[in-house]
Amino acid sequence: MGALATGHGEVVFNTSMTGYQEVLTDPSYAGQLVTLTYPLVGNYGINPQDFESAKIRVAGLIVREHCDRPSHGQSDRTLDEYLKAQNIPGICGVDTRAITRRLRQHGVMMGLLTTESPEAAVAQLAEMPRYDDQDLVRTVTTEAQYRWDGEPVTLEALPLTASGNISRPTLVVGSPGENSGETQEPRPRILVTDVGVKYNILRLLQERGCEVIAMPAATSAEDMLAMNPSGILLSPGPGDPQLLDYVVDNVRQVLGRVPVMGICLGHQLVARALGGQTYKLPFGHRGGNHPVQDMSSGRVYITAQNHGFAVDPDTLPAGLEVSHINLNDGTVEGTRHRDMPLFTIQYHSEASPGPRDNEYIFDQFLGMVKEFNH
Amino acid sequence: WKKYWLLAPAPSSSARPPSLTTREPKACKALREEGVSVVLVNSNPATIMTDTDIADHVYIEPLTVEVIERIIAKERPQGILPTLGGQTGLNMAVALSDAGVLDRYNVRLLGTPLETIRKAEDREFFRNFLHDIGEPEPPNRTVNSMEEALAYREEMGLPLVVRPAYTLGGTGGGIANTQGEFEATVASGLASSPISQVLLERSLVGWKEIEYEVIRDGDDNCITVCNMENLDPMGAHTGDSIVVAPSQTLTDKEYQMLRSASLKIIRGLGIEGGCNIQMAEPDSPYYVIEVNPRVSRSSALASKATGYPIARVSAKIAVGKRLHEIPNAVTGKTGAAFEPALDYCVVKIPRWPFDKFPNGDRQITTQMKATGEVMAIDRSFEAALQKAIRSLEIGNRTLLCHGEGPDTRNLMEPNDLRLWALMAALRRNTPPEELMGKTFIDPWFISAMQRIVNMERRLLGETLTPDLLYRAKRLGFSDRQVGTLADMLPEQVRNLRHDWNLRPVYKMVDTCAAEFEAVTPYYYSTYEEENEALPLPGKKAIVIGSGPIRIGQGIEFDYCSVHAAWALSQAGVSSVMINSNPETVSTDFDTSDRLYFEPLDEEAVRDIIDNETVDDVPPPSVVQFGGQTAINLSQGPGPRRSAYPGLQRRCH
């Protein structure tokens, strides 16, 4: 299955039973070989609507069985065709449950998808850079800022950065509210710091009446503030937040001055910006069934998750409080600042794939934006 | 102390599934763990539920208002929990309330509000409710007389679905294609409904039918346990449909859209406990078809398919626990507030009684005809399907050729032989598209059947090699089936398999796709690399279960198997249960020390014996409690197996 190419990355597993197309294109999976625990993959093919970014981001896909005759009205190609077209390798027919059990017992590990002999593969693997040492955000962030005006089709034409080459924003954007009708109040302008944004975040903000502008990861705080944003959303993304001081420094300068919401990597960046620490989980949380408890209401929400790092609650600075915890292992799933217009979540309120129970978080963010700007 | 009270259904019949009797023992246990004293009422002696050690007090009495009022007067319970006793329990709760009994003795109704029971069963209420919460339902009208029915037919035309209110298993209902059928079905529907009310509905025959099992607690926390896709499109009663879990042909967007709708419905109804929601989907819009505001036949299947104990959790919720406060018995560590992740495919096939009634009307309609069901688990759909066929204990136990000959006259009309008819058509090179057009079965399933046919051809035409045999086993071909195609005896295929070291491995059903370490001893076989079921240490014995419920072999043999397992455990002997029936207590993962959910045929049982063999000593098997199924197995051509010496008493 997939391209006859070598795939190299951290081997992780995801327990979602649907949503392989969203997983493949989620930038947070950059640098990872993703094992899907559900054995039958590709059943409904690949459709033009369910992309989460402009291309496949996983380094390789590991499945028990892939479907070469998908059945769905919207499907326009098979999973295999899609992988091949983008030169991404895959492997099928393997005991994915055995792989998952190994990852659970020993933690995530580096892996290689190859047609070489096992000995050659081991030697090659030793030479390869390790996941934890790579700044993967540089490989997925947008090169230039852009306004989200709808469908990914228009975006596929947009330039993406070459690895390691982040240019400064050049697009000049007008003042907030220029597109709104005369009788309506001005649309809030939300800047989304793209450290690996998923389209559905942009879609959900746009649906809620926002002017949505995605910014390159390295955009300076001055440049962001100069755009007069109503709020800033720090996106999810791949890799170890310890390697992202160039983003953290800018985040630190906007906190308190603009309402900020952080999702996943964005949540970790906020914690680091305020002096907190992050650490690596043994095998992470990846799936659509993780229970998260809101500490203030006691309510439990089923969430979509995709993260290998977590915020250490013992290192949180004064003012930043744990607002959500994971009921499976007690890790931090969200924080809220006592004084600043700032909250973060470790899970994915944008779902896609996963349960849509948490879209209300975007409404909370926009409520905070409205309150702050009044 | 508090005293709660369970209402149980009357004796099993096709409309009152035995699956419901598997719910109460679990619920009783769950309630008693919470320090609640349980009084149980049922009229069926052949169930674990009416054992004296399951509840604190057991009444074997007819389920009438008069009798139950007398019991209430004597026991003075604080609450009554009707949602685990199927439709009978709900109907009784409504009757008790209407008769003023609940108010008179100040008995609180637990689990589902009375209003909700009425809402979901009374079509008019239900229509208004769906309208209020903005969920779509098929065009329909509730009628109370033949005149009203005829007027609606004039308006809508045929076909129309006739659904009587307040009946179990759709008794008296059906799809009417002709004027004659319409009048007959409406008449029978009005007669079957206790309030003489039927719903006439636009026929969605041919649409995809999807079910969700959802649970809500008193704090409004909701989860879905699983969803299921019916292989048979709309038109067949779900009890008469081949059902697959989880859904196979929905994108994540569709899966989540229907999931969100299900949660909206259970919240709107205010149910505390489990609920089953059925929806139809042609492509993107959908209709809500039916809501069962209680633990149902599908809940039993969902519990076994996922390992998530719906009845246990529902009972705990009924006495005020919140989802995250209930421990997950599967992992022992996490709570009940999560959604199971499956890493296998589950197939359920109904067991119809037409082997006993060959001249019966074999057509499958909205009125349930199956007496029981089998379930099979594997890592591919083809293998789960073929294992389920083996579990049915009919014909020659394969998709090859049904003993009675395939009925291909009308594939459009679903009947118990449709699967064989489809296979026969594929063998005759009928284009899959033509079959899809005739049956409306999703092409994904037809493609899987085509892959089985392709493998049959390879086995017929090629020399058997280790690779070919491995591929056949991965698609669920039994030794017997391979033998038929490759011109060998089943025993020769088995020997060849062993020479080539092709043996099944056993994987655990753990609710979490191996994300957490699980402690459940619940396994299924598959042809993969890693075996998770290492032989149980110490003294042990295998208990052979009784398979699907059918005419002549009811739930009583499951009662016997369960007691055999318990007696073994009490005697310090680990019990290893093998069964294929999801509607039983024997397939609860905490009944025995280890459960293999497998077909009850020679190949499966011998493979399990091999897997449990330590130092060349196979474990003994107990066969005398599993009815004819187990007895027949002990007379197979394989090596003789003696029953465990301590358990020689005959069950009947």
Side-chain angles (χ1 to χ4, degrees), chain B residues 629-640:
Chain B
T629 296
I631 297 293
N632 290 348
L633 269 171
S634 69
Q635 292 161 348
R640 282 208 149 305

mmCIF file with all atom_site columns, all heavy atoms in Angstrom, chain B residues 629-640:
data_model
loop_
_atom_site.group_PDB
_atom_site.id
_atom_site.type_symbol
_atom_site.label_atom_id
_atom_site.label_alt_id
_atom_site.label_comp_id
_atom_site.label_asym_id
_atom_site.label_entity_id
_atom_site.label_seq_id
_atom_site.pdbx_PDB_ins_code
_atom_site.Cartn_x
_atom_site.Cartn_y
_atom_site.Cartn_z
_atom_site.occupancy
_atom_site.B_iso_or_equiv
_atom_site.pdbx_formal_charge
_atom_site.auth_seq_id
_atom_site.auth_comp_id
_atom_site.auth_asym_id
_atom_site.auth_atom_id
_atom_site.pdbx_PDB_model_num
ATOM 1  N N   . THR B 1 629 ? -25.950 -29.013 21.062 1.00 0.00 ? 629 THR B N   1
ATOM 2  C CA  . THR B 1 629 ? -24.755 -28.456 20.445 1.00 0.00 ? 629 THR B CA  1
ATOM 3  C C   . THR B 1 629 ? -23.486 -29.098 21.004 1.00 0.00 ? 629 THR B C   1
ATOM 4  O O   . THR B 1 629 ? -22.628 -29.587 20.272 1.00 0.00 ? 629 THR B O   1
ATOM 5  C CB  . THR B 1 629 ? -24.707 -26.936 20.723 1.00 0.00 ? 629 THR B CB  1
ATOM 6  O OG1 . THR B 1 629 ? -25.822 -26.349 20.090 1.00 0.00 ? 629 THR B OG1 1
ATOM 7  C CG2 . THR B 1 629 ? -23.424 -26.320 20.207 1.00 0.00 ? 629 THR B CG2 1
ATOM 8  N N   . ALA B 1 630 ? -23.393 -29.096 22.337 1.00 0.00 ? 630 ALA B N   1
ATOM 9  C CA  . ALA B 1 630 ? -22.185 -29.592 22.974 1.00 0.00 ? 630 ALA B CA  1
ATOM 10 C C   . ALA B 1 630 ? -22.089 -31.110 22.855 1.00 0.00 ? 630 ALA B C   1
ATOM 11 O O   . ALA B 1 630 ? -21.015 -31.669 22.609 1.00 0.00 ? 630 ALA B O   1
ATOM 12 C CB  . ALA B 1 630 ? -22.174 -29.163 24.435 1.00 0.00 ? 630 ALA B CB  1
ATOM 13 N N   . ILE B 1 631 ? -23.236 -31.783 22.998 1.00 0.00 ? 631 ILE B N   1
ATOM 14 C CA  . ILE B 1 631 ? -23.244 -33.246 22.902 1.00 0.00 ? 631 ILE B CA  1
ATOM 15 C C   . ILE B 1 631 ? -22.751 -33.681 21.512 1.00 0.00 ? 631 ILE B C   1
ATOM 16 O O   . ILE B 1 631 ? -21.900 -34.554 21.371 1.00 0.00 ? 631 ILE B O   1
ATOM 17 C CB  . ILE B 1 631 ? -24.671 -33.803 23.157 1.00 0.00 ? 631 ILE B CB  1
ATOM 18 C CG1 . ILE B 1 631 ? -25.129 -33.470 24.581 1.00 0.00 ? 631 ILE B CG1 1
ATOM 19 C CG2 . ILE B 1 631 ? -24.738 -35.299 22.886 1.00 0.00 ? 631 ILE B CG2 1
ATOM 20 C CD1 . ILE B 1 631 ? -24.366 -34.148 25.672 1.00 0.00 ? 631 ILE B CD1 1
ATOM 21 N N   . ASN B 1 632 ? -23.269 -33.011 20.475 1.00 0.00 ? 632 ASN B N   1
ATOM 22 C CA  . ASN B 1 632 ? -22.849 -33.358 19.112 1.00 0.00 ? 632 ASN B CA  1
ATOM 23 C C   . ASN B 1 632 ? -21.347 -33.185 18.945 1.00 0.00 ? 632 ASN B C   1
ATOM 24 O O   . ASN B 1 632 ? -20.690 -33.981 18.273 1.00 0.00 ? 632 ASN B O   1
ATOM 25 C CB  . ASN B 1 632 ? -23.570 -32.477 18.090 1.00 0.00 ? 632 ASN B CB  1
ATOM 26 C CG  . ASN B 1 632 ? -25.044 -32.811 17.999 1.00 0.00 ? 632 ASN B CG  1
ATOM 27 O OD1 . ASN B 1 632 ? -25.480 -33.840 18.534 1.00 0.00 ? 632 ASN B OD1 1
ATOM 28 N ND2 . ASN B 1 632 ? -25.804 -31.946 17.354 1.00 0.00 ? 632 ASN B ND2 1
ATOM 29 N N   . LEU B 1 633 ? -20.814 -32.137 19.546 1.00 0.00 ? 633 LEU B N   1
ATOM 30 C CA  . LEU B 1 633 ? -19.387 -31.882 19.408 1.00 0.00 ? 633 LEU B CA  1
ATOM 31 C C   . LEU B 1 633 ? -18.561 -33.006 20.010 1.00 0.00 ? 633 LEU B C   1
ATOM 32 O O   . LEU B 1 633 ? -17.514 -33.374 19.495 1.00 0.00 ? 633 LEU B O   1
ATOM 33 C CB  . LEU B 1 633 ? -19.022 -30.575 20.122 1.00 0.00 ? 633 LEU B CB  1
ATOM 34 C CG  . LEU B 1 633 ? -19.085 -29.311 19.275 1.00 0.00 ? 633 LEU B CG  1
ATOM 35 C CD1 . LEU B 1 633 ? -18.909 -28.111 20.170 1.00 0.00 ? 633 LEU B CD1 1
ATOM 36 C CD2 . LEU B 1 633 ? -18.020 -29.351 18.201 1.00 0.00 ? 633 LEU B CD2 1
ATOM 37 N N   . SER B 1 634 ? -19.040 -33.557 21.129 1.00 0.00 ? 634 SER B N   1
ATOM 38 C CA  . SER B 1 634 ? -18.257 -34.588 21.805 1.00 0.00 ? 634 SER B CA  1
ATOM 39 C C   . SER B 1 634 ? -18.250 -35.869 20.998 1.00 0.00 ? 634 SER B C   1
ATOM 40 O O   . SER B 1 634 ? -17.468 -36.761 21.249 1.00 0.00 ? 634 SER B O   1
ATOM 41 C CB  . SER B 1 634 ? -18.830 -34.840 23.201 1.00 0.00 ? 634 SER B CB  1
ATOM 42 O OG  . SER B 1 634 ? -20.089 -35.457 23.082 1.00 0.00 ? 634 SER B OG  1
ATOM 43 N N   . GLN B 1 635 ? -19.147 -35.956 20.000 1.00 0.00 ? 635 GLN B N   1
ATOM 44 C CA  . GLN B 1 635 ? -19.192 -37.172 19.192 1.00 0.00 ? 635 GLN B CA  1
ATOM 45 C C   . GLN B 1 635 ? -18.505 -37.002 17.847 1.00 0.00 ? 635 GLN B C   1
ATOM 46 O O   . GLN B 1 635 ? -18.642 -37.820 16.966 1.00 0.00 ? 635 GLN B O   1
ATOM 47 C CB  . GLN B 1 635 ? -20.660 -37.595 18.992 1.00 0.00 ? 635 GLN B CB  1
ATOM 48 C CG  . GLN B 1 635 ? -21.267 -38.063 20.293 1.00 0.00 ? 635 GLN B CG  1
ATOM 49 C CD  . GLN B 1 635 ? -22.779 -38.046 20.263 1.00 0.00 ? 635 GLN B CD  1
ATOM 50 O OE1 . GLN B 1 635 ? -23.382 -37.482 19.361 1.00 0.00 ? 635 GLN B OE1 1
ATOM 51 N NE2 . GLN B 1 635 ? -23.374 -38.670 21.278 1.00 0.00 ? 635 GLN B NE2 1
ATOM 52 N N   . GLY B 1 636 ? -17.774 -35.914 17.698 1.00 0.00 ? 636 GLY B N   1
ATOM 53 C CA  . GLY B 1 636 ? -17.075 -35.665 16.445 1.00 0.00 ? 636 GLY B CA  1
ATOM 54 C C   . GLY B 1 636 ? -15.946 -36.647 16.240 1.00 0.00 ? 636 GLY B C   1
ATOM 55 O O   . GLY B 1 636 ? -15.626 -37.439 17.122 1.00 0.00 ? 636 GLY B O   1
ATOM 56 N N   . PRO B 1 637 ? -15.306 -36.606 15.064 1.00 0.00 ? 637 PRO B N   1
ATOM 57 C CA  . PRO B 1 637 ? -14.255 -37.569 14.760 1.00 0.00 ? 637 PRO B CA  1
ATOM 58 C C   . PRO B 1 637 ? -12.919 -37.252 15.430 1.00 0.00 ? 637 PRO B C   1
ATOM 59 O O   . PRO B 1 637 ? -11.991 -38.015 15.335 1.00 0.00 ? 637 PRO B O   1
ATOM 60 C CB  . PRO B 1 637 ? -14.140 -37.465 13.237 1.00 0.00 ? 637 PRO B CB  1
ATOM 61 C CG  . PRO B 1 637 ? -14.596 -36.094 12.917 1.00 0.00 ? 637 PRO B CG  1
ATOM 62 C CD  . PRO B 1 637 ? -15.593 -35.710 13.954 1.00 0.00 ? 637 PRO B CD  1
ATOM 63 N N   . GLY B 1 638 ? -12.841 -36.133 16.113 1.00 0.00 ? 638 GLY B N   1
ATOM 64 C CA  . GLY B 1 638 ? -11.567 -35.748 16.718 1.00 0.00 ? 638 GLY B CA  1
ATOM 65 C C   . GLY B 1 638 ? -11.212 -36.631 17.898 1.00 0.00 ? 638 GLY B C   1
ATOM 66 O O   . GLY B 1 638 ? -11.912 -37.598 18.196 1.00 0.00 ? 638 GLY B O   1
ATOM 67 N N   . PRO B 1 639 ? -10.100 -36.325 18.580 1.00 0.00 ? 639 PRO B N   1
ATOM 68 C CA  . PRO B 1 639 ? -9.693  -37.123 19.727 1.00 0.00 ? 639 PRO B CA  1
ATOM 69 C C   . PRO B 1 639 ? -10.768 -37.097 20.805 1.00 0.00 ? 639 PRO B C   1
ATOM 70 O O   . PRO B 1 639 ? -11.429 -36.094 21.013 1.00 0.00 ? 639 PRO B O   1
ATOM 71 C CB  . PRO B 1 639 ? -8.422  -36.439 20.204 1.00 0.00 ? 639 PRO B CB  1
ATOM 72 C CG  . PRO B 1 639 ? -8.167  -35.280 19.333 1.00 0.00 ? 639 PRO B CG  1
ATOM 73 C CD  . PRO B 1 639 ? -9.246  -35.177 18.327 1.00 0.00 ? 639 PRO B CD  1
ATOM 74 N N   . ARG B 1 640 ? -10.945 -38.188 21.463 1.00 0.00 ? 640 ARG B N   1
ATOM 75 C CA  . ARG B 1 640 ? -11.967 -38.292 22.514 1.00 0.00 ? 640 ARG B CA  1
ATOM 76 C C   . ARG B 1 640 ? -11.609 -37.386 23.688 1.00 0.00 ? 640 ARG B C   1
ATOM 77 O O   . ARG B 1 640 ? -10.459 -37.282 24.078 1.00 0.00 ? 640 ARG B O   1
ATOM 78 C CB  . ARG B 1 640 ? -12.038 -39.730 23.011 1.00 0.00 ? 640 ARG B CB  1
ATOM 79 C CG  . ARG B 1 640 ? -12.792 -40.668 22.093 1.00 0.00 ? 640 ARG B CG  1
ATOM 80 C CD  . ARG B 1 640 ? -13.377 -41.795 22.952 1.00 0.00 ? 640 ARG B CD  1
ATOM 81 N NE  . ARG B 1 640 ? -14.620 -42.367 22.487 1.00 0.00 ? 640 ARG B NE  1
ATOM 82 C CZ  . ARG B 1 640 ? -15.727 -41.693 22.231 1.00 0.00 ? 640 ARG B CZ  1
ATOM 83 N NH1 . ARG B 1 640 ? -15.759 -40.403 22.346 1.00 0.00 ? 640 ARG B NH1 1
ATOM 84 N NH2 . ARG B 1 640 ? -16.814 -42.307 21.860 1.00 0.00 ? 640 ARG B NH2 1
#
